[in-house]
């Protein structure tokens, strides 16, 4: 069974990807420092899969730990999720983000080279596109200056990977540019569990519905969109996890020194208010939300053209926006 190292594997997207890798006949080896996740996730993964995954608590900036993991297991590929991801925080402590997000990739690539590990799937982001001039966004859409240090780390990491593959180190890389992951595993055993105040829309919605938050603020209703609120492409986290499986299957068919990027979204844009109404429909809960001023730095609208990933990887999303809201709400209710 092919062993895949998942850095940040106890996190939101990482834990769901561990399940989908296992379902596809691959064995996840999880590395996570638990700075933005909880060790209880490992028990939940066992409940879902019936398998107790190997787990290492530590930092992927620790090259000695990475080498230890690779020595103890025949690692055949890596999914690199581990990164700080709070956009607002990144503007306050940019060096922390550059040191961790960029530095960890450099260390990982050095260890992969030393240990002869060929395949890497990198967690990138649609933030590299900024506010696109033309929609939907294709992989050929020009990248723009990042709106935050967090977004810039994703651009820098992509550039590093391009340059590294050109140097012919004998590796194969796919960068997946995610749009907006939402939802939870249909079992309600794992989902998005933000530490402190949520940075993303859907956890704020579910926490407001659960009475944890007094109200939800919609930042602006006077944009040039169908209802005045911002438009995003919301993809169910299980669909996103499945894209990683398809990426590894595709990499196995490629020659050495291969690099490619794929958008991972639904191909549809939904406004913030549409997301709220979809949640209200499936949950039966009336949300307490108010309209606030525009938030500086917000992209007005963006959604993916998924033609490339559909045709090349044979990947298609299976879950609707309403499915995502249902699973998010069931997950929130499971927390008590």
């Amino acid at each position: 069974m092919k062993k895949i190292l998942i850095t940040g594997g106890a996190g939101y997207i990482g834990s769901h990807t561990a399940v989908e890798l296992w379902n596809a006949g691959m064995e996840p080896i999880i590395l996570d420092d638990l700075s933005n996740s909880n060790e209880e996730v490992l028990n939940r993964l066992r409940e879902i899969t019936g398998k107790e995954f190997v787990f290492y608590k530590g930092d992927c900036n620790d090259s000695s730990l990475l080498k230890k993991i690779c020595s103890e297991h025949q690692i055949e590929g890596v999914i690199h999720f581990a990164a700080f991801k709070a956009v607002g925080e990144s503007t306050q402590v940019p060096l922390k983000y550059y040191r961790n997000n960029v530095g960890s990739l450099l260390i990982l690539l050095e260890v992969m080279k030393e240990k002869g590990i060929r395949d890497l799937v990198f967690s990138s982001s649609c933030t590299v596109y900024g506010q696109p001039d033309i929609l939907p966004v294709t992989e050929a859409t020009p990248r723009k200056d990042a709106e935050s240090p967090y977004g810039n780390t994703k651009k820098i990491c992509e550039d590093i990977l391009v340059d590294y593959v050109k140097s012919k180190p004998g590796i194969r890389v796919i960068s997946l540019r995610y749009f907006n992951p939402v939802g939870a595993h249909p079992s309600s055993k794992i989902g998005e569990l933000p530490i402190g105040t949520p940075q993303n829309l859907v956890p704020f919605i579910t926490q407001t519905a659960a009475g944890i938050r007094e109200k939800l603020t919609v930042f602006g209703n006077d944009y040039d969109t169908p209802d005045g609120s911002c438009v995003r492409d919301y993809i169910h986290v299980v669909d996103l996890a499945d894209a990683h499986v398809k990426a590894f299957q595709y990499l196995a068919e490629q020659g050495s020194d291969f690099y490619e990027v794929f958008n991972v979204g639904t191909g549809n844009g939904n406004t913030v208010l549409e997301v709220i109404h979809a949640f209200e429909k499936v949950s039966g809960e009336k949300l307490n939300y108010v309209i606030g001023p525009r938030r500086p730095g917000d992209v007005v609208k963006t959604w993916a053209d998924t033609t490339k990933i559909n045709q090349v990887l044979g990947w298609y999303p299976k879950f609707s926006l309403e499915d995502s809201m249902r699973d998010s709400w069931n997950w929130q209710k499971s927390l008590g």
Side-chain angles (χ1 to χ4, degrees), residues 245-296:
V245 174
K246 296 291 195 297
F248 263 109
Q249 292 168 338
Y250 185 70
L251 280 178
E253 303 168 359
Q254 309 310 312
S256 293
D257 307 312
F258 172 85
Y259 180 81
E260 195 57 88
V261 300
F262 294 94
N263 288 336
V264 192
T266 65
N268 299 305
N270 290 102
T271 68
V272 172
L273 290 173
E274 285 173 341
V275 174
I276 289 172
H277 298 326
F279 175 82
E280 290 180 327
K281 178 180 177 181
V282 300
S283 69
E285 300 288 331
K286 187 67 177 174
L287 273 179
N288 180 26
Y289 70 90
V290 297
I291 305 298
R294 294 185 179 192
R295 185 169 53 182

Short mmCIF file of all heavy atoms in Angstrom, two decimals, residues 245-296:
data_model
loop_
_atom_site.label_atom_id
_atom_site.label_comp_id
_atom_site.label_asym_id
_atom_site.label_seq_id
_atom_site.Cartn_x
_atom_site.Cartn_y
_atom_site.Cartn_z
N VAL A 245 -6.60 12.84 -4.33
CA VAL A 245 -6.46 11.44 -4.76
C VAL A 245 -6.25 11.38 -6.26
O VAL A 245 -5.34 10.70 -6.75
CB VAL A 245 -7.70 10.62 -4.36
CG1 VAL A 245 -7.63 9.21 -4.93
CG2 VAL A 245 -7.84 10.58 -2.84
N LYS A 246 -7.08 12.12 -7.00
CA LYS A 246 -6.96 12.14 -8.46
C LYS A 246 -5.60 12.70 -8.88
O LYS A 246 -5.00 12.25 -9.87
CB LYS A 246 -8.08 12.97 -9.06
CG LYS A 246 -9.50 12.43 -8.84
CD LYS A 246 -9.73 11.15 -9.61
CE LYS A 246 -11.22 10.82 -9.70
NZ LYS A 246 -11.83 10.56 -8.37
N ALA A 247 -5.10 13.69 -8.14
CA ALA A 247 -3.80 14.27 -8.47
C ALA A 247 -2.69 13.24 -8.32
O ALA A 247 -1.79 13.15 -9.18
CB ALA A 247 -3.53 15.48 -7.58
N PHE A 248 -2.72 12.45 -7.26
CA PHE A 248 -1.68 11.43 -7.07
C PHE A 248 -1.77 10.35 -8.15
O PHE A 248 -0.75 9.87 -8.66
CB PHE A 248 -1.78 10.81 -5.68
CG PHE A 248 -0.83 11.43 -4.71
CD1 PHE A 248 -1.29 12.24 -3.69
CD2 PHE A 248 0.53 11.25 -4.83
CE1 PHE A 248 -0.41 12.85 -2.81
CE2 PHE A 248 1.43 11.85 -3.96
CZ PHE A 248 0.95 12.66 -2.95
N GLN A 249 -2.97 9.97 -8.49
CA GLN A 249 -3.13 8.96 -9.53
C GLN A 249 -2.59 9.47 -10.85
O GLN A 249 -1.98 8.72 -11.62
CB GLN A 249 -4.61 8.57 -9.63
CG GLN A 249 -5.11 7.81 -8.40
CD GLN A 249 -6.62 7.67 -8.36
OE1 GLN A 249 -7.35 8.44 -9.00
NE2 GLN A 249 -7.11 6.71 -7.59
N TYR A 250 -2.77 10.75 -11.12
CA TYR A 250 -2.26 11.34 -12.35
C TYR A 250 -0.74 11.47 -12.33
O TYR A 250 -0.07 11.19 -13.33
CB TYR A 250 -2.91 12.71 -12.56
CG TYR A 250 -2.55 13.37 -13.86
CD1 TYR A 250 -3.03 12.89 -15.07
CD2 TYR A 250 -1.75 14.52 -13.87
CE1 TYR A 250 -2.71 13.51 -16.27
CE2 TYR A 250 -1.44 15.15 -15.07
CZ TYR A 250 -1.92 14.64 -16.26
OH TYR A 250 -1.60 15.26 -17.46
N LEU A 251 -0.18 11.88 -11.18
CA LEU A 251 1.28 12.01 -11.08
C LEU A 251 1.98 10.69 -11.39
O LEU A 251 3.06 10.67 -12.00
CB LEU A 251 1.67 12.49 -9.68
CG LEU A 251 1.54 13.98 -9.39
CD1 LEU A 251 1.93 14.27 -7.94
CD2 LEU A 251 2.40 14.82 -10.33
N ALA A 252 1.38 9.59 -10.96
CA ALA A 252 2.01 8.28 -11.15
C ALA A 252 2.18 7.94 -12.63
O ALA A 252 3.00 7.08 -12.99
CB ALA A 252 1.17 7.20 -10.47
N GLU A 253 1.44 8.63 -13.49
CA GLU A 253 1.51 8.36 -14.93
C GLU A 253 2.51 9.27 -15.64
O GLU A 253 2.74 9.11 -16.85
CB GLU A 253 0.12 8.56 -15.56
CG GLU A 253 -0.97 7.69 -14.95
CD GLU A 253 -2.35 8.12 -15.39
OE1 GLU A 253 -2.46 9.11 -16.17
OE2 GLU A 253 -3.33 7.49 -14.98
N GLN A 254 3.12 10.23 -14.93
CA GLN A 254 3.97 11.23 -15.56
C GLN A 254 5.45 10.86 -15.44
O GLN A 254 5.86 10.10 -14.58
CB GLN A 254 3.73 12.60 -14.92
CG GLN A 254 2.28 13.01 -14.86
CD GLN A 254 1.55 12.89 -16.18
OE1 GLN A 254 2.04 13.34 -17.22
NE2 GLN A 254 0.37 12.26 -16.16
N GLY A 255 6.24 11.46 -16.34
CA GLY A 255 7.68 11.29 -16.25
C GLY A 255 8.26 12.20 -15.19
O GLY A 255 7.55 12.96 -14.52
N SER A 256 9.57 12.13 -15.02
CA SER A 256 10.24 12.96 -14.01
C SER A 256 10.20 14.43 -14.40
O SER A 256 10.00 14.79 -15.57
CB SER A 256 11.69 12.52 -13.85
OG SER A 256 11.76 11.22 -13.29
N ASP A 257 10.38 15.28 -13.38
CA ASP A 257 10.48 16.73 -13.56
C ASP A 257 9.23 17.28 -14.24
O ASP A 257 9.27 17.95 -15.27
CB ASP A 257 11.75 17.08 -14.34
CG ASP A 257 12.99 16.46 -13.70
OD1 ASP A 257 13.15 16.59 -12.49
OD2 ASP A 257 13.77 15.82 -14.42
N PHE A 258 8.12 16.97 -13.61
CA PHE A 258 6.80 17.36 -14.13
C PHE A 258 6.18 18.36 -13.16
O PHE A 258 6.22 18.18 -11.94
CB PHE A 258 5.92 16.12 -14.24
CG PHE A 258 4.48 16.41 -14.57
CD1 PHE A 258 4.07 16.56 -15.88
CD2 PHE A 258 3.51 16.50 -13.57
CE1 PHE A 258 2.74 16.82 -16.20
CE2 PHE A 258 2.19 16.76 -13.86
CZ PHE A 258 1.80 16.92 -15.18
N TYR A 259 5.56 19.43 -13.72
CA TYR A 259 4.86 20.40 -12.87
C TYR A 259 3.58 20.84 -13.58
O TYR A 259 3.59 21.14 -14.78
CB TYR A 259 5.72 21.63 -12.60
CG TYR A 259 5.01 22.66 -11.73
CD1 TYR A 259 4.95 22.49 -10.35
CD2 TYR A 259 4.35 23.75 -12.29
CE1 TYR A 259 4.28 23.41 -9.55
CE2 TYR A 259 3.68 24.67 -11.49
CZ TYR A 259 3.65 24.49 -10.13
OH TYR A 259 2.97 25.39 -9.33
N GLU A 260 2.49 20.88 -12.82
CA GLU A 260 1.22 21.33 -13.37
C GLU A 260 0.38 21.96 -12.28
O GLU A 260 0.54 21.66 -11.10
CB GLU A 260 0.47 20.15 -14.00
CG GLU A 260 -0.67 20.54 -14.91
CD GLU A 260 -0.23 21.45 -16.05
OE1 GLU A 260 0.18 20.95 -17.11
OE2 GLU A 260 -0.30 22.69 -15.84
N VAL A 261 -0.54 22.85 -12.68
CA VAL A 261 -1.47 23.47 -11.73
C VAL A 261 -2.90 23.18 -12.16
O VAL A 261 -3.18 23.06 -13.37
CB VAL A 261 -1.25 24.99 -11.60
CG1 VAL A 261 0.14 25.30 -11.12
CG2 VAL A 261 -1.56 25.69 -12.92
N PHE A 262 -3.78 23.07 -11.17
CA PHE A 262 -5.20 22.86 -11.43
C PHE A 262 -6.03 23.71 -10.48
O PHE A 262 -5.73 23.76 -9.28
CB PHE A 262 -5.60 21.39 -11.25
CG PHE A 262 -4.99 20.44 -12.23
CD1 PHE A 262 -3.82 19.77 -11.94
CD2 PHE A 262 -5.59 20.22 -13.47
CE1 PHE A 262 -3.24 18.89 -12.84
CE2 PHE A 262 -5.04 19.34 -14.39
CZ PHE A 262 -3.86 18.67 -14.07
N ASN A 263 -7.06 24.34 -11.01
CA ASN A 263 -8.08 24.95 -10.15
C ASN A 263 -8.94 23.85 -9.55
O ASN A 263 -9.26 22.87 -10.23
CB ASN A 263 -8.99 25.86 -10.97
CG ASN A 263 -8.31 27.15 -11.39
OD1 ASN A 263 -7.36 27.59 -10.77
ND2 ASN A 263 -8.81 27.75 -12.46
N VAL A 264 -9.34 24.02 -8.29
CA VAL A 264 -10.28 23.09 -7.67
C VAL A 264 -11.45 23.91 -7.11
O VAL A 264 -11.34 24.55 -6.07
CB VAL A 264 -9.65 22.25 -6.56
CG1 VAL A 264 -10.59 21.12 -6.17
CG2 VAL A 264 -8.31 21.67 -6.99
N GLY A 265 -12.52 23.91 -7.85
CA GLY A 265 -13.73 24.61 -7.44
C GLY A 265 -14.93 23.91 -8.06
O GLY A 265 -14.79 22.85 -8.67
N THR A 266 -16.09 24.52 -7.94
CA THR A 266 -17.29 23.92 -8.52
C THR A 266 -17.58 24.44 -9.92
O THR A 266 -18.36 23.84 -10.67
CB THR A 266 -18.53 24.21 -7.65
OG1 THR A 266 -18.77 25.62 -7.66
CG2 THR A 266 -18.31 23.73 -6.23
N GLY A 267 -16.99 25.59 -10.24
CA GLY A 267 -17.31 26.24 -11.50
C GLY A 267 -18.49 27.18 -11.38
O GLY A 267 -18.92 27.77 -12.37
N ASN A 268 -19.00 27.34 -10.16
CA ASN A 268 -20.15 28.22 -9.92
C ASN A 268 -19.81 29.26 -8.85
O ASN A 268 -19.11 28.94 -7.88
CB ASN A 268 -21.36 27.42 -9.45
CG ASN A 268 -21.82 26.41 -10.46
OD1 ASN A 268 -22.09 26.75 -11.61
ND2 ASN A 268 -21.88 25.15 -10.06
N GLY A 269 -20.31 30.46 -9.02
CA GLY A 269 -20.14 31.49 -8.01
C GLY A 269 -21.42 31.70 -7.23
O GLY A 269 -22.51 31.73 -7.82
N ASN A 270 -21.30 31.82 -5.92
CA ASN A 270 -22.45 32.11 -5.07
C ASN A 270 -22.15 33.32 -4.21
O ASN A 270 -21.03 33.47 -3.70
CB ASN A 270 -22.79 30.94 -4.16
CG ASN A 270 -23.37 29.76 -4.91
OD1 ASN A 270 -22.70 28.78 -5.18
ND2 ASN A 270 -24.64 29.86 -5.28
N THR A 271 -23.14 34.17 -4.03
CA THR A 271 -22.96 35.33 -3.16
C THR A 271 -23.04 34.90 -1.69
O THR A 271 -23.54 33.82 -1.36
CB THR A 271 -24.05 36.38 -3.41
OG1 THR A 271 -25.31 35.86 -2.97
CG2 THR A 271 -24.13 36.77 -4.88
N VAL A 272 -22.54 35.77 -0.84
CA VAL A 272 -22.62 35.52 0.60
C VAL A 272 -24.07 35.34 1.04
O VAL A 272 -24.40 34.43 1.82
CB VAL A 272 -21.95 36.67 1.39
CG1 VAL A 272 -22.19 36.51 2.89
CG2 VAL A 272 -20.45 36.71 1.10
N LEU A 273 -24.94 36.18 0.51
CA LEU A 273 -26.36 36.07 0.90
C LEU A 273 -26.99 34.78 0.38
O LEU A 273 -27.84 34.18 1.05
CB LEU A 273 -27.13 37.29 0.39
CG LEU A 273 -26.80 38.60 1.12
CD1 LEU A 273 -27.50 39.78 0.44
CD2 LEU A 273 -27.19 38.53 2.59
N GLU A 274 -26.56 34.31 -0.78
CA GLU A 274 -27.05 33.02 -1.28
C GLU A 274 -26.62 31.88 -0.36
O GLU A 274 -27.38 30.93 -0.12
CB GLU A 274 -26.55 32.78 -2.70
CG GLU A 274 -27.28 33.60 -3.75
CD GLU A 274 -26.67 33.48 -5.14
OE1 GLU A 274 -25.49 33.06 -5.25
OE2 GLU A 274 -27.36 33.82 -6.11
N VAL A 275 -25.40 31.96 0.15
CA VAL A 275 -24.92 30.93 1.08
C VAL A 275 -25.77 30.95 2.35
O VAL A 275 -26.18 29.90 2.86
CB VAL A 275 -23.43 31.15 1.41
CG1 VAL A 275 -22.96 30.18 2.49
CG2 VAL A 275 -22.58 30.99 0.15
N ILE A 276 -26.03 32.15 2.86
CA ILE A 276 -26.86 32.28 4.06
C ILE A 276 -28.25 31.68 3.83
O ILE A 276 -28.77 30.92 4.65
CB ILE A 276 -26.96 33.76 4.48
CG1 ILE A 276 -25.63 34.24 5.04
CG2 ILE A 276 -28.08 33.97 5.50
CD1 ILE A 276 -25.56 35.73 5.30
N HIS A 277 -28.85 31.99 2.70
CA HIS A 277 -30.19 31.50 2.42
C HIS A 277 -30.20 29.98 2.21
O HIS A 277 -31.15 29.29 2.60
CB HIS A 277 -30.78 32.22 1.20
CG HIS A 277 -30.94 33.69 1.41
ND1 HIS A 277 -31.26 34.24 2.64
CD2 HIS A 277 -30.80 34.75 0.55
CE1 HIS A 277 -31.33 35.56 2.53
NE2 HIS A 277 -31.05 35.89 1.27
N ALA A 278 -29.13 29.45 1.59
CA ALA A 278 -29.03 27.99 1.43
C ALA A 278 -28.94 27.32 2.79
O ALA A 278 -29.55 26.26 3.01
CB ALA A 278 -27.81 27.64 0.58
N PHE A 279 -28.19 27.93 3.71
CA PHE A 279 -28.10 27.38 5.05
C PHE A 279 -29.46 27.40 5.75
O PHE A 279 -29.87 26.42 6.36
CB PHE A 279 -27.07 28.15 5.89
CG PHE A 279 -27.03 27.69 7.32
CD1 PHE A 279 -26.29 26.57 7.67
CD2 PHE A 279 -27.75 28.35 8.31
CE1 PHE A 279 -26.27 26.12 8.99
CE2 PHE A 279 -27.73 27.91 9.61
CZ PHE A 279 -26.99 26.79 9.95
N GLU A 280 -30.14 28.53 5.65
CA GLU A 280 -31.45 28.64 6.30
C GLU A 280 -32.43 27.60 5.75
O GLU A 280 -33.23 27.02 6.50
CB GLU A 280 -32.01 30.05 6.10
CG GLU A 280 -31.25 31.13 6.88
CD GLU A 280 -31.81 32.51 6.67
OE1 GLU A 280 -32.30 32.79 5.55
OE2 GLU A 280 -31.75 33.33 7.61
N LYS A 281 -32.33 27.34 4.46
CA LYS A 281 -33.24 26.38 3.83
C LYS A 281 -33.03 24.97 4.36
O LYS A 281 -33.99 24.28 4.72
CB LYS A 281 -33.06 26.41 2.31
CG LYS A 281 -33.93 25.42 1.57
CD LYS A 281 -33.68 25.50 0.07
CE LYS A 281 -34.50 24.45 -0.67
NZ LYS A 281 -34.27 24.49 -2.14
N VAL A 282 -31.77 24.53 4.41
CA VAL A 282 -31.53 23.13 4.79
C VAL A 282 -31.59 22.92 6.30
O VAL A 282 -31.86 21.81 6.77
CB VAL A 282 -30.18 22.61 4.25
CG1 VAL A 282 -30.14 22.69 2.73
CG2 VAL A 282 -28.99 23.36 4.85
N SER A 283 -31.32 23.97 7.08
CA SER A 283 -31.27 23.84 8.54
C SER A 283 -32.61 24.15 9.21
O SER A 283 -32.88 23.68 10.32
CB SER A 283 -30.21 24.77 9.13
OG SER A 283 -30.59 26.13 9.00
N GLY A 284 -33.43 24.95 8.53
CA GLY A 284 -34.66 25.40 9.16
C GLY A 284 -34.43 26.47 10.20
O GLY A 284 -35.36 26.86 10.93
N GLU A 285 -33.20 26.99 10.29
CA GLU A 285 -32.85 28.03 11.26
C GLU A 285 -32.85 29.39 10.58
O GLU A 285 -32.41 29.53 9.43
CB GLU A 285 -31.46 27.76 11.85
CG GLU A 285 -31.31 26.44 12.57
CD GLU A 285 -32.04 26.42 13.90
OE1 GLU A 285 -32.19 27.49 14.51
OE2 GLU A 285 -32.46 25.32 14.33
N LYS A 286 -33.34 30.39 11.29
CA LYS A 286 -33.29 31.76 10.78
C LYS A 286 -32.05 32.44 11.36
O LYS A 286 -31.88 32.51 12.58
CB LYS A 286 -34.55 32.53 11.21
CG LYS A 286 -34.66 33.91 10.60
CD LYS A 286 -34.87 33.84 9.10
CE LYS A 286 -35.07 35.24 8.51
NZ LYS A 286 -35.12 35.23 7.03
N LEU A 287 -31.18 32.90 10.48
CA LEU A 287 -29.91 33.48 10.93
C LEU A 287 -30.08 34.95 11.31
O LEU A 287 -30.75 35.71 10.60
CB LEU A 287 -28.86 33.37 9.83
CG LEU A 287 -28.03 32.10 9.75
CD1 LEU A 287 -27.06 32.19 8.59
CD2 LEU A 287 -27.26 31.84 11.04
N ASN A 288 -29.42 35.33 12.38
CA ASN A 288 -29.35 36.73 12.77
C ASN A 288 -28.14 37.35 12.08
O ASN A 288 -27.01 37.18 12.52
CB ASN A 288 -29.22 36.85 14.29
CG ASN A 288 -29.13 38.31 14.73
OD1 ASN A 288 -29.64 39.20 14.05
ND2 ASN A 288 -28.50 38.55 15.87
N TYR A 289 -28.40 38.01 10.94
CA TYR A 289 -27.28 38.64 10.23
C TYR A 289 -27.60 40.11 9.96
O TYR A 289 -28.76 40.50 9.86
CB TYR A 289 -26.95 37.90 8.94
CG TYR A 289 -27.96 38.01 7.84
CD1 TYR A 289 -27.91 39.03 6.89
CD2 TYR A 289 -28.98 37.06 7.71
CE1 TYR A 289 -28.83 39.13 5.87
CE2 TYR A 289 -29.91 37.14 6.68
CZ TYR A 289 -29.83 38.17 5.75
OH TYR A 289 -30.75 38.26 4.74
N VAL A 290 -26.54 40.90 9.89
CA VAL A 290 -26.67 42.32 9.61
C VAL A 290 -25.73 42.68 8.46
O VAL A 290 -24.75 41.96 8.19
CB VAL A 290 -26.31 43.18 10.86
CG1 VAL A 290 -27.28 42.90 12.00
CG2 VAL A 290 -24.87 42.94 11.30
N ILE A 291 -26.03 43.77 7.79
CA ILE A 291 -25.18 44.26 6.72
C ILE A 291 -24.21 45.28 7.30
O ILE A 291 -24.63 46.25 7.96
CB ILE A 291 -25.99 44.91 5.59
CG1 ILE A 291 -27.05 43.93 5.07
CG2 ILE A 291 -25.07 45.38 4.48
CD1 ILE A 291 -26.50 42.66 4.47
N GLY A 292 -22.92 45.04 7.10
CA GLY A 292 -21.91 45.96 7.57
C GLY A 292 -21.20 46.63 6.41
O GLY A 292 -21.52 46.38 5.24
N PRO A 293 -20.22 47.48 6.70
CA PRO A 293 -19.46 48.14 5.64
C PRO A 293 -18.57 47.15 4.91
O PRO A 293 -18.29 46.05 5.40
CB PRO A 293 -18.62 49.17 6.40
CG PRO A 293 -18.49 48.61 7.78
CD PRO A 293 -19.77 47.89 8.06
N ARG A 294 -18.15 47.53 3.73
CA ARG A 294 -17.20 46.71 2.99
C ARG A 294 -15.95 46.46 3.83
O ARG A 294 -15.54 47.32 4.62
CB ARG A 294 -16.80 47.38 1.69
CG ARG A 294 -17.91 47.52 0.67
CD ARG A 294 -17.37 48.09 -0.63
NE ARG A 294 -18.39 48.23 -1.66
CZ ARG A 294 -18.12 48.48 -2.95
NH1 ARG A 294 -16.84 48.64 -3.33
NH2 ARG A 294 -19.08 48.58 -3.83
N ARG A 295 -15.34 45.30 3.61
CA ARG A 295 -14.12 44.95 4.34
C ARG A 295 -12.92 45.20 3.43
O ARG A 295 -12.88 44.69 2.29
CB ARG A 295 -14.17 43.49 4.77
CG ARG A 295 -13.02 43.03 5.63
CD ARG A 295 -13.31 41.65 6.22
NE ARG A 295 -13.67 40.68 5.19
CZ ARG A 295 -14.01 39.43 5.47
NH1 ARG A 295 -14.06 39.01 6.73
NH2 ARG A 295 -14.32 38.59 4.49
N PRO A 296 -11.95 45.99 3.87
CA PRO A 296 -10.79 46.29 3.02
C PRO A 296 -10.10 45.01 2.54
O PRO A 296 -9.91 44.06 3.31
CB PRO A 296 -9.87 47.10 3.93
CG PRO A 296 -10.78 47.68 4.97
CD PRO A 296 -11.85 46.67 5.18
#
